[in-house]
Amino acid sequence: MTNEELLQIIEQAARDKVTELDLSGEGLTTLPREIVQLTNLQSLDLSINRLSSLPPEIVQLTNLQSLYLTDNQLSSLAPEIVQLTNLQSLNLSINRLSSLPPEIVQLTNLRTLYLFSNQLSSLPPEILQLTNLQSLDLSDNQLSSLPPEILQLTNLQSLDLSDNQLSSLPPEIGQLTNLQSLALRSNQLSSLPLEIVQLTNLQSLALRSNQLSSLPREIRQLSKLKKLDICRNPVPIPPEILGSKKLYEDPGDVNEILDFYFRVQDPAETEPFYEAKFLIIGEGGAGKTSLAKKIADETYKLQPEEKSTQGIEVIQWHFTQPNGKDFRVNIWDFGGQEIYHQTHQFFLSKRSLYALVADTRKENTDFYWWLKVVELLSDKSPVIIIKNEKQDRDCPVNERQLRGEFSNLKETLATNLDTNRGLTEIKDAIQLYISRLDHVGTPLPKLWIRVRAALENDSRNYISFEEYSTICRGNKLTDRKDMQRLSNYLHDLGVCLHFQDDSTLKHYVILKPEWGTTAVYKVLDNDNVKKKLGCFTKDALKDIWKSGEYADMRDELLQLMMQFKLCYEIPGRPATYIAPQLLSIEKADYIWGDRNNLILRYTYDFMPKGILTRFIVETHPWIEQQKLVWKTGVVLNKDQTRAEVIENYNQREIKIRVTGKRKKELMAVVTHELEKIHNSYERLEYQTLVPCNCETCKNLPTPHSYSLDSLKKRLDASRYKIECENSYEMVDIRRLIDDVMFQPAREDGEINPQVAQLQSELEQKRDESLTHRLRDSKMNSQSVMKFEKEIFISYAWGGESEQFVNQLDQTLQAKGITIIRDKRDLGYKGLIKPFMERIGRGKCAIAVISDKYLKSPNCMFELVQIAKNGEFYDRIFPIVLADAQIYDPLERLKYIKHWEDKLKQLNKSLKTVDADNLQGFREEIDQYRDIRNTIAELTNLLKDINTLTRDIHSESDFEDLINAIALRLDE
């Protein structure tokens, strides 16, 4: 923004006597003195600019209540700012402040003060005089101790001290009795003071990434605590209970965390767990199987032609620790053939030690590739390199260079397995590193250990989940959620396989993982399947899996292949399947025009194998004629629009071209599916390359490309043009991005409705394919319910509603009933609107009605969708919370007025924007209008339904609700 433009805005704002002015992201380096004309201003947003100072005249804005200076270049704060005595909110985050002026204490009306991401190592003692302060954010600074003055801010409700250098908390922390949220993530805390129990109003306590190995017993006295995040601390609690490692996801249930922790504090009830997974990886024929057998038995005689492992073989090895305890190692020997590489993601787990075996004669080991695979899929688990020096031939390894790239590489060892040279050193190294894994020695409930032993002694390859539950109950483990936690824990350790999120596989616990994986690989290794380029039928599976150990589980094993994204059913050809990694390498024959294409490329620093074949499985309903697909490419066709997606593995690139009627929508679906695959890896590094749209590049088969991240960074810095390397023209950055991809239609990130519709169609096709397949299987009665008898829940996030829904969810899960809820089932980057529409179509929808619900666009959209699809009374199962004022007609009128006002505000705002820029907003208008037109009728109907109170439902364990739903589902 030029200075002239800025002055015009200020003059217009002064004439209009505006109370709010947003100048964020305009590239401002200075603020003109004319700003003083805005005497009515109450809120001024100067975020995301390049201001290094403020003009002294700003103090004349005496009515200012909110001042936002986030993301500027302020290294100091002029003392005069304290003359803004009406300020209630001051945001100075992401600047260069190393100190605050003592005069800041004169801002006595401050309610919120945000200072995160600065360079503060201390605070002025006078800060204690800000007695009205309710929210203080000091995260990402350089504080090494908690300033005692903060502890006198007794009105504080939120305090964030994350990402500092705190090693302890003073006992005086207990004085902050009004505190509701305390964040201490990423510090150096090794203990908590007992006085923390005085924070009786605390609802959220974030302690992630510290050094806490214990918790004070008194912490249980914090009766209002709803969130406790202690992930990435050395506390003896399995991750399954602590909750997600991802910061943006909710941690585990507070009561479950504390119950487990204090249960394992009783030595009589617990037992240290000494078991881990050791995975041997490398090229085919490198000697992995020989190494596995030699570790387990040094006297094992090598075979002249050691049979290659088909799939995975699991071998047990026990050793005695220095403390005299037995340690069990589950050695996983992987088949090295390339066909197996694409399933590594399902087995290269965390909490494991890895050995990369290299055959020194062949010198064919791509050390970088294998180490990168482990890094991506196992959260940087430790790795050792083992050089199998057959015939004593040495093989140099540039260990220094590899260590520089991979911090998890521990050491390189050499052996001759024929003579056992170096074998002792290898076994010693394995014992050392495997004993240091985080979970080793963690006290587990003895009940878990007993169940683990019972499963180990069971000779069957698999059991049903109900049989597993019976074994658990027989060993006094009766809580269903505990059963699921244990099976998940054992799945992660490689002891068994239990895919809890799969509608079919969740009903089975595979006790012998190698049994299931070997069955899968029997298909991929089958000569007839290879000859038919990956095509096979259910009848063919009867022959492949004809032995007794597989005969009764063919449908479930096929589902296992689906779970691994190894095959799909060909649309229009029931019971016929394709394994895309066995497709022809020859590109399909088709014609493609080079003009009017949308082009996008992904380039990878490291490219794992299987991205494209997984993409083929996910998008298979739209493969053109079900013929234009080969091992490294596919052509999709939908609504007179085509997408060509080709992988060039040697160049570490995927290229997308889209042409036709709905180019941008189809491009958005393609990128969405690829991003889902990208996000399944821990740290996949890649770039999205956007083609240039200048006049020269438009006519080139290979236009110049720009990094999408780089373009967005330029926009953030208010740079709106970039030079083309071909034509040297200056190109508009926003147009570059908009040409190839849809931007979110709203600030909340909801995806453009056109894209959402197309994405929903693809997902529906996939679901239909799965439903059709399962109807033919003996699992019909359990699995088809996922699609025909779904139970949804509609509620407003946060507060009492979410607490109640969590309780309901837990109770129903304990009874073997799974409800579909957005936070769990939508998934990262899942499309919100189609999910809401799906709720609207569902046969059963539990609606937890609160005041927030009745004022939420998303919640009310779901309710309207249920009404639009008919049988509203039959399909909805409402629970009305106390704050939802629907029983008093005057209160109901307020909700109607709320939506009338919303609609008016939106209409008014839209008039200020050019019609060409309103793509997606008209749908919002329609949505608001639908809500406005139906809310009176819906609330009137809800008030007449006997919904029972929250307390009645809770006390009865939701018995009436469950019975009513059961009757509905049986109709």
Side-chain angles (χ1 to χ4, degrees), residues 392-449:
D392 286 331
R393 179 172 177 177
D394 189 20
C395 171
V397 175
N398 192 336
E399 190 172 346
R400 177 178 294 182
Q401 180 180 341
L402 291 174
R403 279 180 182 277
E405 177 80 22
F406 303 101
S407 59
N408 58 330
L409 176 57
K410 298 306 177 183
E411 58 181 297
T412 299
L413 300 166
T415 181
N416 182 323
L417 293 175
D418 194 31
T419 63
N420 286 0
R421 174 176 57 78
L423 185 59
T424 299
E425 289 77 9
I426 288 172
K427 293 174 71 173
D428 288 344
I430 294 170
Q431 293 179 23
L432 173 67
Y433 295 118
I434 208 163
S435 300
R436 291 179 177 175
L437 295 175
D438 289 343
H439 74 277
V440 169
T442 297
L444 292 182
K446 285 187 175 178
L447 299 180
W448 284 28
I449 304 293

Side-chain angles (χ1 to χ4, degrees), residues 73-237:
Q73 299 173 15
L74 300 173
S75 56
S76 63
L77 201 58
E80 290 81 9
I81 199 171
V82 302
Q83 296 178 37
L84 299 174
T85 54
N86 284 313
L87 266 188
Q88 295 181 23
S89 181
L90 177 59
N91 194 329
L92 294 161
S93 303
I94 318 177
N95 277 285
R96 302 171 181 175
L97 300 174
S98 56
S99 64
L100 296 177
E103 292 83 0
I104 197 171
V105 301
Q106 296 177 35
L107 300 177
T108 53
N109 284 309
L110 268 188
R111 300 288 190 275
T112 61
L113 177 57
Y114 295 134
L115 293 159
F116 68 82
S117 292
N118 277 286
Q119 300 166 20
L120 300 172
S121 57
S122 63
L123 297 176
E126 293 83 0
I127 199 170
L128 64 88
Q129 297 176 35
L130 299 178
T131 54
N132 286 311
L133 208 59
Q134 295 178 5
S135 183
L136 177 59
D137 191 337
L138 290 162
S139 60
D140 195 13
N141 276 283
Q142 299 169 18
L143 300 173
S144 56
S145 61
L146 194 58
E149 293 77 21
I150 288 182
L151 303 172
Q152 298 181 44
L153 300 176
T154 53
N155 283 313
L156 270 185
Q157 296 178 20
S158 174
L159 176 59
D160 195 336
L161 292 158
S162 302
D163 294 284
N164 277 285
Q165 300 163 24
L166 303 177
S167 57
S168 63
L169 296 178
E172 291 79 10
I173 189 80
Q175 296 174 22
L176 302 178
T177 53
N178 285 307
L179 211 57
Q180 296 178 22
S181 174
L182 176 58
L184 293 157
R185 292 180 292 268
S186 301
N187 278 284
Q188 299 164 25
L189 301 175
S190 57
S191 64
L192 298 177
L194 299 181
E195 288 76 11
I196 201 167
V197 302
Q198 297 172 29
L199 304 179
T200 52
N201 286 302
L202 201 62
Q203 297 178 24
S204 175
L205 178 58
L207 296 162
R208 173 184 295 255
S209 300
N210 277 280
Q211 299 168 19
L212 298 170
S213 57
S214 63
L215 299 173
R217 188 166 292 277
E218 291 76 9
I219 198 171
R220 304 205 77 157
Q221 297 174 27
L222 298 176
S223 58
K224 294 185 178 179
L225 195 62
K226 299 295 184 292
K227 280 189 179 181
L228 176 62
D229 185 354
I230 52 174
C231 287
R232 301 187 185 277
N233 279 280
V235 285
I237 306 175

Side-chain angles (χ1 to χ4, degrees), residues 641-653:
T641 311
R642 304 170 85 203
E644 176 194 70
V645 185
I646 296 178
E647 174 186 275
N648 188 325
Y649 188 80
N650 291 332
Q651 294 182 12
R652 303 193 301 275
E653 174 187 87

